[in-house]
mmCIF file of all heavy atoms in Angstrom:
data_model
loop_
_atom_site.group_PDB
_atom_site.id
_atom_site.type_symbol
_atom_site.label_atom_id
_atom_site.label_comp_id
_atom_site.label_asym_id
_atom_site.label_seq_id
_atom_site.Cartn_x
_atom_site.Cartn_y
_atom_site.Cartn_z
ATOM 1 N N ARG A 223 -3.176 26.615 4.308
ATOM 2 C CA ARG A 223 -4.553 26.197 4.122
ATOM 3 C C ARG A 223 -4.736 25.597 2.742
ATOM 4 O O ARG A 223 -3.815 25.579 1.916
ATOM 5 C CB ARG A 223 -5.497 27.389 4.270
ATOM 6 C CG ARG A 223 -5.294 28.444 3.170
ATOM 7 C CD ARG A 223 -6.297 29.565 3.249
ATOM 8 N NE ARG A 223 -6.089 30.533 2.171
ATOM 9 C CZ ARG A 223 -6.896 31.555 1.927
ATOM 10 N NH1 ARG A 223 -7.955 31.756 2.689
ATOM 11 N NH2 ARG A 223 -6.640 32.380 0.929
ATOM 12 N N GLY A 224 -5.922 25.112 2.468
ATOM 13 C CA GLY A 224 -6.300 24.594 1.171
ATOM 14 C C GLY A 224 -7.811 24.477 1.132
ATOM 15 O O GLY A 224 -8.485 24.695 2.141
ATOM 16 N N ALA A 225 -8.357 24.132 -0.031
ATOM 17 C CA ALA A 225 -9.808 24.055 -0.147
ATOM 18 C C ALA A 225 -10.226 23.008 -1.164
ATOM 19 O O ALA A 225 -9.530 22.763 -2.153
ATOM 20 C CB ALA A 225 -10.390 25.413 -0.531
ATOM 21 N N VAL A 226 -11.374 22.397 -0.882
ATOM 22 C CA VAL A 226 -12.069 21.533 -1.831
ATOM 23 C C VAL A 226 -13.256 22.327 -2.353
ATOM 24 O O VAL A 226 -13.998 22.929 -1.564
ATOM 25 C CB VAL A 226 -12.580 20.248 -1.161
ATOM 26 C CG1 VAL A 226 -13.186 19.314 -2.199
ATOM 27 C CG2 VAL A 226 -11.488 19.562 -0.380
ATOM 28 N N ILE A 227 -13.446 22.326 -3.654
ATOM 29 C CA ILE A 227 -14.565 23.043 -4.261
ATOM 30 C C ILE A 227 -15.500 22.020 -4.885
ATOM 31 O O ILE A 227 -15.154 21.358 -5.871
ATOM 32 C CB ILE A 227 -14.082 24.034 -5.331
ATOM 33 C CG1 ILE A 227 -12.991 24.940 -4.759
ATOM 34 C CG2 ILE A 227 -15.252 24.863 -5.859
ATOM 35 C CD1 ILE A 227 -12.262 25.753 -5.812
ATOM 36 N N PHE A 228 -16.683 21.869 -4.297
ATOM 37 C CA PHE A 228 -17.686 20.959 -4.835
ATOM 38 C C PHE A 228 -18.504 21.719 -5.880
ATOM 39 O O PHE A 228 -19.040 22.794 -5.610
ATOM 40 C CB PHE A 228 -18.593 20.429 -3.736
ATOM 41 C CG PHE A 228 -17.884 19.572 -2.728
ATOM 42 C CD1 PHE A 228 -17.545 20.075 -1.485
ATOM 43 C CD2 PHE A 228 -17.537 18.268 -3.038
ATOM 44 C CE1 PHE A 228 -16.881 19.288 -0.557
ATOM 45 C CE2 PHE A 228 -16.871 17.468 -2.116
ATOM 46 C CZ PHE A 228 -16.541 17.983 -0.869
ATOM 47 N N ALA A 229 -18.595 21.142 -7.085
ATOM 48 C CA ALA A 229 -19.265 21.801 -8.198
ATOM 49 C C ALA A 229 -20.684 21.265 -8.371
ATOM 50 O O ALA A 229 -21.031 20.180 -7.888
ATOM 51 C CB ALA A 229 -18.473 21.613 -9.488
ATOM 52 N N ALA A 230 -21.497 22.031 -9.108
ATOM 53 C CA ALA A 230 -22.902 21.682 -9.280
ATOM 54 C C ALA A 230 -23.098 20.375 -10.024
ATOM 55 O O ALA A 230 -24.104 19.687 -9.829
ATOM 56 C CB ALA A 230 -23.615 22.814 -10.019
ATOM 57 N N GLU A 231 -22.139 20.008 -10.890
ATOM 58 C CA GLU A 231 -22.293 18.759 -11.643
ATOM 59 C C GLU A 231 -21.803 17.543 -10.869
ATOM 60 O O GLU A 231 -21.847 16.419 -11.374
ATOM 61 C CB GLU A 231 -21.569 18.851 -12.986
ATOM 62 C CG GLU A 231 -20.052 18.811 -12.905
ATOM 63 C CD GLU A 231 -19.423 20.164 -12.674
ATOM 64 O OE1 GLU A 231 -20.176 21.120 -12.394
ATOM 65 O OE2 GLU A 231 -18.185 20.272 -12.778
ATOM 66 N N GLY A 232 -21.321 17.743 -9.631
ATOM 67 C CA GLY A 232 -20.945 16.618 -8.779
ATOM 68 C C GLY A 232 -19.459 16.391 -8.640
ATOM 69 O O GLY A 232 -19.044 15.576 -7.815
ATOM 70 N N SER A 233 -18.639 17.078 -9.411
ATOM 71 C CA SER A 233 -17.197 16.879 -9.319
ATOM 72 C C SER A 233 -16.609 17.722 -8.190
ATOM 73 O O SER A 233 -17.307 18.525 -7.551
ATOM 74 C CB SER A 233 -16.524 17.248 -10.643
ATOM 75 O OG SER A 233 -16.687 18.629 -10.911
ATOM 76 N N ALA A 234 -15.319 17.530 -7.948
ATOM 77 C CA ALA A 234 -14.607 18.329 -6.949
ATOM 78 C C ALA A 234 -13.268 18.739 -7.529
ATOM 79 O O ALA A 234 -12.675 18.004 -8.326
ATOM 80 C CB ALA A 234 -14.407 17.528 -5.664
ATOM 81 N N ARG A 235 -12.808 19.904 -7.149
ATOM 82 C CA ARG A 235 -11.455 20.308 -7.510
ATOM 83 C C ARG A 235 -10.779 20.863 -6.264
ATOM 84 O O ARG A 235 -11.443 21.156 -5.268
ATOM 85 C CB ARG A 235 -11.452 21.326 -8.656
ATOM 86 C CG ARG A 235 -12.101 22.655 -8.385
ATOM 87 C CD ARG A 235 -12.147 23.476 -9.676
ATOM 88 N NE ARG A 235 -12.500 24.877 -9.458
ATOM 89 C CZ ARG A 235 -13.733 25.335 -9.378
ATOM 90 N NH1 ARG A 235 -14.758 24.496 -9.483
ATOM 91 N NH2 ARG A 235 -13.958 26.632 -9.192
ATOM 92 N N PHE A 236 -9.470 21.018 -6.332
ATOM 93 C CA PHE A 236 -8.694 21.333 -5.145
ATOM 94 C C PHE A 236 -7.785 22.528 -5.427
ATOM 95 O O PHE A 236 -7.214 22.640 -6.510
ATOM 96 C CB PHE A 236 -7.844 20.123 -4.736
ATOM 97 C CG PHE A 236 -8.638 18.860 -4.591
ATOM 98 C CD1 PHE A 236 -8.833 18.014 -5.679
ATOM 99 C CD2 PHE A 236 -9.206 18.515 -3.381
ATOM 100 C CE1 PHE A 236 -9.572 16.844 -5.557
ATOM 101 C CE2 PHE A 236 -9.948 17.348 -3.240
ATOM 102 C CZ PHE A 236 -10.131 16.510 -4.332
ATOM 103 N N VAL A 237 -7.668 23.421 -4.445
ATOM 104 C CA VAL A 237 -6.770 24.561 -4.568
ATOM 105 C C VAL A 237 -5.927 24.654 -3.297
ATOM 106 O O VAL A 237 -6.346 24.218 -2.219
ATOM 107 C CB VAL A 237 -7.531 25.884 -4.789
ATOM 108 C CG1 VAL A 237 -8.285 25.859 -6.108
ATOM 109 C CG2 VAL A 237 -8.470 26.189 -3.630
ATOM 110 N N ASP A 238 -4.732 25.232 -3.440
ATOM 111 C CA ASP A 238 -3.865 25.403 -2.279
ATOM 112 C C ASP A 238 -4.171 26.729 -1.589
ATOM 113 O O ASP A 238 -5.185 27.388 -1.877
ATOM 114 C CB ASP A 238 -2.393 25.285 -2.690
ATOM 115 C CG ASP A 238 -1.954 26.384 -3.668
ATOM 116 O OD1 ASP A 238 -2.686 27.390 -3.830
ATOM 117 O OD2 ASP A 238 -0.870 26.248 -4.264
ATOM 118 N N GLY A 239 -3.275 27.157 -0.715
ATOM 119 C CA GLY A 239 -3.530 28.355 0.060
ATOM 120 C C GLY A 239 -3.650 29.623 -0.755
ATOM 121 O O GLY A 239 -4.340 30.568 -0.363
ATOM 122 N N SER A 240 -2.993 29.671 -1.915
ATOM 123 C CA SER A 240 -3.036 30.862 -2.760
ATOM 124 C C SER A 240 -4.180 30.834 -3.759
ATOM 125 O O SER A 240 -4.421 31.820 -4.463
ATOM 126 C CB SER A 240 -1.715 31.010 -3.520
ATOM 127 O OG SER A 240 -1.560 29.954 -4.468
ATOM 128 N N GLY A 241 -4.864 29.694 -3.861
ATOM 129 C CA GLY A 241 -5.933 29.550 -4.837
ATOM 130 C C GLY A 241 -5.504 28.850 -6.107
ATOM 131 O O GLY A 241 -6.317 28.670 -7.019
ATOM 132 N N ALA A 242 -4.239 28.445 -6.187
ATOM 133 C CA ALA A 242 -3.758 27.709 -7.362
ATOM 134 C C ALA A 242 -4.277 26.278 -7.343
ATOM 135 O O ALA A 242 -4.369 25.650 -6.279
ATOM 136 C CB ALA A 242 -2.231 27.709 -7.394
ATOM 137 N N GLY A 243 -4.610 25.754 -8.514
ATOM 138 C CA GLY A 243 -5.119 24.400 -8.597
ATOM 139 C C GLY A 243 -4.091 23.359 -8.186
ATOM 140 O O GLY A 243 -2.902 23.508 -8.468
ATOM 141 N N VAL A 244 -4.562 22.306 -7.523
ATOM 142 C CA VAL A 244 -3.692 21.207 -7.094
ATOM 143 C C VAL A 244 -4.071 19.972 -7.906
ATOM 144 O O VAL A 244 -5.218 19.528 -7.861
ATOM 145 C CB VAL A 244 -3.851 20.924 -5.593
ATOM 146 C CG1 VAL A 244 -2.948 19.778 -5.162
ATOM 147 C CG2 VAL A 244 -3.553 22.176 -4.778
ATOM 148 N N PRO A 245 -3.128 19.397 -8.682
ATOM 149 C CA PRO A 245 -3.459 18.236 -9.510
ATOM 150 C C PRO A 245 -3.662 16.982 -8.664
ATOM 151 O O PRO A 245 -3.336 16.952 -7.476
ATOM 152 C CB PRO A 245 -2.238 18.101 -10.417
ATOM 153 C CG PRO A 245 -1.116 18.700 -9.621
ATOM 154 C CD PRO A 245 -1.726 19.821 -8.833
ATOM 155 N N GLY A 246 -4.180 15.962 -9.316
ATOM 156 C CA GLY A 246 -4.396 14.680 -8.646
ATOM 157 C C GLY A 246 -5.833 14.237 -8.755
ATOM 158 O O GLY A 246 -6.751 15.062 -8.684
ATOM 159 N N SER A 247 -6.037 12.925 -8.938
ATOM 160 C CA SER A 247 -7.389 12.386 -9.094
ATOM 161 C C SER A 247 -8.119 12.265 -7.767
ATOM 162 O O SER A 247 -9.342 12.118 -7.741
ATOM 163 C CB SER A 247 -7.329 11.008 -9.764
ATOM 164 O OG SER A 247 -6.566 10.104 -8.980
ATOM 165 N N ALA A 248 -7.385 12.324 -6.646
ATOM 166 C CA ALA A 248 -7.999 12.236 -5.323
ATOM 167 C C ALA A 248 -7.073 12.863 -4.297
ATOM 168 O O ALA A 248 -5.854 12.918 -4.483
ATOM 169 C CB ALA A 248 -8.282 10.785 -4.954
ATOM 170 N N HIS A 249 -7.666 13.331 -3.212
ATOM 171 C CA HIS A 249 -6.906 13.912 -2.106
ATOM 172 C C HIS A 249 -7.534 13.462 -0.793
ATOM 173 O O HIS A 249 -8.551 12.770 -0.773
ATOM 174 C CB HIS A 249 -6.855 15.432 -2.218
ATOM 175 C CG HIS A 249 -5.913 15.921 -3.271
ATOM 176 N ND1 HIS A 249 -4.562 16.090 -3.029
ATOM 177 C CD2 HIS A 249 -6.111 16.245 -4.570
ATOM 178 C CE1 HIS A 249 -3.970 16.517 -4.130
ATOM 179 N NE2 HIS A 249 -4.888 16.611 -5.089
ATOM 180 N N PHE A 250 -6.904 13.877 0.326
ATOM 181 C CA PHE A 250 -7.418 13.424 1.616
ATOM 182 C C PHE A 250 -7.165 14.451 2.708
ATOM 183 O O PHE A 250 -6.326 15.342 2.595
ATOM 184 C CB PHE A 250 -6.774 12.086 2.024
ATOM 185 C CG PHE A 250 -5.285 12.173 2.263
ATOM 186 C CD1 PHE A 250 -4.771 12.616 3.477
ATOM 187 C CD2 PHE A 250 -4.380 11.812 1.269
ATOM 188 C CE1 PHE A 250 -3.404 12.700 3.698
ATOM 189 C CE2 PHE A 250 -3.013 11.895 1.471
ATOM 190 C CZ PHE A 250 -2.526 12.338 2.698
ATOM 191 N N LEU A 251 -7.937 14.285 3.787
ATOM 192 C CA LEU A 251 -7.720 14.965 5.055
ATOM 193 C C LEU A 251 -7.528 13.893 6.108
ATOM 194 O O LEU A 251 -8.294 12.918 6.158
ATOM 195 C CB LEU A 251 -8.929 15.833 5.422
ATOM 196 C CG LEU A 251 -9.125 17.116 4.617
ATOM 197 C CD1 LEU A 251 -10.532 17.665 4.835
ATOM 198 C CD2 LEU A 251 -8.087 18.139 5.020
ATOM 199 N N ALA A 252 -6.507 14.033 6.945
ATOM 200 C CA ALA A 252 -6.197 13.016 7.948
ATOM 201 C C ALA A 252 -6.469 13.542 9.351
ATOM 202 O O ALA A 252 -6.019 14.631 9.718
ATOM 203 C CB ALA A 252 -4.737 12.589 7.833
ATOM 204 N N LEU A 253 -7.216 12.766 10.123
ATOM 205 C CA LEU A 253 -7.532 13.102 11.504
ATOM 206 C C LEU A 253 -6.991 12.013 12.418
ATOM 207 O O LEU A 253 -7.142 10.815 12.140
ATOM 208 C CB LEU A 253 -9.048 13.197 11.702
ATOM 209 C CG LEU A 253 -9.756 14.455 11.218
ATOM 210 C CD1 LEU A 253 -11.257 14.216 11.209
ATOM 211 C CD2 LEU A 253 -9.424 15.631 12.107
ATOM 212 N N ARG A 254 -6.375 12.418 13.504
ATOM 213 C CA ARG A 254 -5.936 11.442 14.487
ATOM 214 C C ARG A 254 -6.112 12.031 15.874
ATOM 215 O O ARG A 254 -6.364 13.218 16.042
ATOM 216 C CB ARG A 254 -4.479 11.044 14.261
ATOM 217 C CG ARG A 254 -3.484 12.175 14.378
ATOM 218 C CD ARG A 254 -2.065 11.673 14.241
ATOM 219 N NE ARG A 254 -1.739 10.702 15.275
ATOM 220 C CZ ARG A 254 -0.572 10.078 15.354
ATOM 221 N NH1 ARG A 254 0.358 10.295 14.450
ATOM 222 N NH2 ARG A 254 -0.337 9.231 16.325
ATOM 223 N N THR A 255 -5.996 11.186 16.872
ATOM 224 C CA THR A 255 -6.147 11.608 18.253
ATOM 225 C C THR A 255 -4.973 11.110 19.070
ATOM 226 O O THR A 255 -4.203 10.249 18.627
ATOM 227 C CB THR A 255 -7.449 11.040 18.859
ATOM 228 O OG1 THR A 255 -7.387 9.608 18.836
ATOM 229 C CG2 THR A 255 -8.661 11.495 18.074
ATOM 230 N N THR A 256 -4.845 11.661 20.256
ATOM 231 C CA THR A 256 -3.827 11.163 21.165
ATOM 232 C C THR A 256 -4.304 9.865 21.801
ATOM 233 O O THR A 256 -5.495 9.595 21.867
ATOM 234 C CB THR A 256 -3.550 12.196 22.269
ATOM 235 O OG1 THR A 256 -4.784 12.501 22.932
ATOM 236 C CG2 THR A 256 -2.982 13.468 21.676
ATOM 237 N N GLY A 257 -3.371 9.062 22.271
ATOM 238 C CA GLY A 257 -3.739 7.814 22.921
ATOM 239 C C GLY A 257 -4.069 6.718 21.928
ATOM 240 O O GLY A 257 -3.727 6.792 20.745
#
């Protein structure tokens, strides 16, 4: 698992399954379908 944390000042930060911070200026979630 992982999580995006939206902060009150408008920024976002990212953590992995254990809660450790994940570096990077941007991340993504990918959705696809069959067919």
Side-chain angles (χ1 to χ4, degrees):
R223 65 175 181 174
V226 185
I227 308 168
F228 295 103
E231 72 274 10
S233 64
R235 64 186 192 275
F236 307 89
V237 296
D238 63 14
S240 67
V244 180
S247 60
H249 285 275
F250 64 83
L251 287 165
L253 282 167
R254 61 176 300 178
T255 61
T256 56

